[in-house]
Amino acid sequence: MAFKLPPLPPASSWYPGHMASFTRDFPRLLQSTHIVLEARDARLPLTSINPNFEAMLSQWGSSDPNNLEGSRARIVIYNKADLVPSWGIKPFERALGRYFNHTTFFTTAKEGKSVADLHQHLAAIARRHKQNLQHLNVLVVGMPNVGKSTILNHLRVYGIKGASSVLKASRLPGTTRTTSNRMRLNDDPLIYSTDSPGVMLPFLGYGDHARERAVKISLILGMNESLFEYEQLAAYLLFRINSINPNDPPYPSLLSDATEKRPKFPPTDSVESFLAELASRMGYLRPGGIPDLQRAAKWFVEWWRVSAGKKEDLGGSVSWGWGLDCQWEDYWSSIDSGSLAVAPPQHMGEGEAVPVIQGEYLTEGRDAHSDQISTTKLAVGKPNDGGPALHDFEFEASTFLSQSDVTDSIDDLESKFDGVIRRYLNQTKELGIEVSKSQLKKRASDEVKQQVEQKKNAIYGQKKRSNSRRRGHSR
């Protein structure tokens, strides 16, 4: 079966005025900051990076007006770590360290998990500089709805006996719209913190990568929900779940668990058929027994948001990738063509051919006893004039590996993550070029408007002076 990438909606930008205001004020806030806590979403470990922060934070980290080595530190917190498979955390962290110089923590702030380690790390920095700094100032930044306020509330409760949460937290993006007043996180050593509004990118770019970026951010509630229809999100989510294990996708139990009355729902790339069956089994029907696809789509998206961590395979597999961002290069290259066809590898008889994926077409591959492709490999590639460009992609014939079946070493996984991060950095560079072009176009447009306005004013002034002279002559 060929699973096709569904048409994606335009990459709508969501950049309200309070985000622009904080971005302008950010350099001033950094002047009195010792520690920057940057919160990200573990399900989107790369997409939830805000490139606009990178240059400012890099410059801030390299300068220290107090001349105290280590008094300025950047800590990145990947929150909602319970929603991604645990096997990917260590190799991802190691691969990330090849490109970024910051301390990394994985937390589940809503449950208080790992917040104690983070608090102890902050306290250790404060104690190290206690003789030179009266207190430590911590500023929390990040994209919307990554859990910034929740992290600070738990740090405060952990560090101050009898303290309560003081910051309002919500599952909806944009709840925090202004920089908060300074809040105490610890008494000895003294640590203060400041919460900030979540800040999106003002421009997400052009093309399919930008469209996919916007949909992924919307799936984790990082953007205003009204920008996308639930059916659009459900179509993309169905595609991603299908791609995790094309032969046996991890659908909701209502569809994947067979009963005496209802058979197991087979894999499909038709979001209409999928939602219709889901609506029927959920009892989401309109008058006349018509399935309510919109209601079913909303349930499906919310099911993924809540259940991604409870079902390990929803967050990915060692063979496929990790979370919504990290799909291995070999595998994801087949989807760049727009679709993915899959057939399970099997033991071949002598002289039989191995199936090869070429875009959406399943074709006959090379001989099973070839030195280049073995019966335990599935070749993934896209067709070209000279034949398929093949990439070997290995996995067990019987199943996609779960956490308990992991055979890849951390070094192997780190290498796969490295390729994903390099791809992200290239896309970010391209996005920066697109942003620059967009800014140049806007600047040129503004200059044209300004010139037109100046001409209008000049003509108006000339007419006004001419009328004034006529009135003077008439007197």
Side-chain angles (χ1 to χ4, degrees):
M1 173 179 289
F3 293 121
K4 294 185 178 181
L5 183 70
L8 300 177
S12 302
S13 294
W14 184 56
Y15 196 69
H18 72 273
M19 295 185 184
S21 177
F22 173 77
T23 303
R24 289 192 298 268
D25 203 32
F26 190 34
R28 181 189 64 80
L29 291 170
L30 286 175
Q31 293 175 9
S32 58
T33 297
H34 303 116
I35 305 293
V36 170
L37 296 183
E38 183 184 352
R40 300 173 185 170
D41 193 303
R43 293 167 296 177
L44 290 180
L46 301 176
T47 302
S48 58
I49 297 175
N50 191 329
N52 285 354
F53 290 160
E54 293 301 315
M56 287 184 280
L57 289 174
S58 177
Q59 183 179 0
W60 165 81
S62 62
S63 61
D64 186 357
N66 298 311
N67 293 318
L68 299 176
E69 184 178 355
S71 65
R72 285 188 169 183
R74 181 183 180 187
I75 302 172
V76 171
I77 307 164
Y78 282 100
N79 194 28
K80 306 180 184 180
D82 60 319
L83 299 180
V84 293
S86 57
W87 56 259
I89 291 177
K90 182 57 67 175
F92 172 79
E93 187 176 354
R94 283 173 45 173
L96 196 69
R98 298 182 183 184
Y99 302 93
F100 297 95
N101 183 26
H102 54 61
T103 305
T104 304
F105 281 86
F106 283 81
T107 67
T108 304
K110 67 178 181 180
E111 300 175 4
K113 292 182 179 178
S114 304
V115 173
D117 294 337
L118 175 59
H119 188 279
Q120 291 169 7
H121 184 75
L122 293 174
I125 296 175
R127 290 192 189 97
R128 194 160 59 241
H129 300 288
K130 190 174 181 179
Q131 293 182 349
N132 301 298
L133 296 176
Q134 293 182 347
H135 58 267
L136 200 69
N137 286 332
V138 177
L139 175 65
V140 180
V141 299
M143 285 193 174
N145 204 35
V146 291
K148 298 183 296 297
S149 301
T150 304
I151 290 169
L152 282 182
N153 281 333
H154 279 282
L155 285 172
R156 174 178 167 82
V157 170
Y158 183 86
I160 301 176
K161 187 176 181 179
S164 59
S165 301
V166 296
L167 297 174
K168 182 180 180 182
S170 171
R171 71 187 295 270
L172 299 178
T175 299
T176 303
R177 302 181 66 85
T178 59
T179 303
S180 72
N181 294 326
R182 213 166 54 158
M183 180 179 72
R184 227 169 3 109
L185 293 184
N186 201 67
D187 287 326
D188 186 20
L190 190 57
I191 303 176
Y192 287 102
S193 67
T194 302
D195 195 12
S196 68
V199 177
M200 271 289 298
L201 290 172
F203 177 69
L204 293 175
Y206 301 109
D208 288 339
H209 286 305
R211 291 169 180 256
E212 186 177 16
R213 190 180 296 122
V215 169
K216 289 193 292 187
I217 292 173
S218 185
L219 272 174
I220 66 165
L221 281 174
M223 297 175 69
N224 193 319
E225 281 190 293
S226 63
L227 296 174
F228 295 94
E229 298 290 339
Y230 273 105
E231 288 93 332
Q232 295 172 328
L233 299 180
Y236 177 75
L237 183 57
L238 177 64
F239 168 74
R240 296 304 297 266
I241 289 179
N242 281 334
S243 66
I244 292 175
N245 185 350
N247 302 303
D248 188 17
Y251 289 161
S253 57
L254 279 171
L255 301 177
S256 60
D257 294 347
T259 64
E260 294 181 1
K261 296 182 179 180
R262 293 182 183 273
K264 182 177 180 178
F265 188 68
T268 180
D269 64 347
S270 170
V271 69
E272 291 81 7
S273 300
F274 179 86
L275 293 179
E277 183 66 21
L278 183 60
S280 175
R281 298 193 182 191
M282 291 291 297
Y284 292 161
L285 303 175
R286 292 180 175 177
I290 300 174
D292 190 337
L293 301 188
Q294 184 177 7
R295 193 177 175 190
K298 184 175 181 179
W299 184 93
F300 179 48
V301 172
E302 293 295 340
W303 165 82
W304 176 84
R305 287 170 177 166
V306 174
S307 303
K310 296 178 181 178
K311 284 177 65 71
E312 189 76 18
D313 49 0
L314 269 180
S317 68
V318 173
S319 304
W320 174 78
W322 189 66
L324 278 179
D325 271 346
C326 302
Q327 282 68 59
W328 314 141
E329 289 287 336
D330 293 349
Y331 186 90
W332 202 243
S333 62
S334 64
I335 297 179
D336 285 338
S337 64
S339 61
L340 174 68
V342 173
Q346 52 190 317
H347 295 289
M348 299 292 177
E350 184 174 356
E352 292 182 352
V354 178
V356 173
I357 296 174
Q358 283 187 204
E360 62 178 300
Y361 304 103
L362 197 64
T363 64
E364 295 297 311
R366 280 168 277 184
D367 185 85
H369 299 284
S370 165
D371 293 335
Q372 294 177 323
I373 300 180
S374 72
T375 57
T376 58
K377 292 185 180 180
L378 187 63
V380 179
K382 291 183 290 186
N384 53 45
D385 295 337
L390 298 176
H391 305 275
D392 290 341
F393 180 64
E394 300 186 49
F395 60 89
E396 296 294 330
S398 59
T399 182
F400 274 58
L401 300 177
S402 64
Q403 183 179 353
S404 60
D405 300 319
V406 171
T407 56
D408 289 47
S409 69
I410 290 182
D411 290 339
D412 293 334
L413 289 171
E414 181 183 347
S415 178
K416 291 179 179 180
F417 277 117
D418 181 82
V420 172
I421 294 171
R422 278 190 282 108
R423 183 180 185 182
Y424 160 77
L425 292 174
N426 288 334
Q427 291 177 356
T428 302
K429 184 178 180 180
E430 293 172 1
L431 175 60
I433 294 173
E434 291 177 354
V435 170
S436 298
K437 289 180 179 179
S438 176
Q439 290 174 340
L440 288 173
K441 288 181 180 179
K442 185 178 185 304
R443 192 177 303 166
S445 176
D446 290 343
E447 288 177 356
V448 170
K449 290 179 181 178
Q450 188 177 9
Q451 291 173 0
V452 171
E453 192 67 25
Q454 288 174 349
K455 288 181 180 179
K456 287 182 178 179
N457 291 337
I459 294 172
Y460 175 76
Q462 187 176 5
K463 288 182 177 180
K464 188 175 181 180
R465 288 191 296 272
S466 177
N467 292 335
S468 178
R469 285 196 296 269
R470 286 198 196 99
R471 286 195 296 270
H473 288 308
S474 65
R475 290 175 185 172

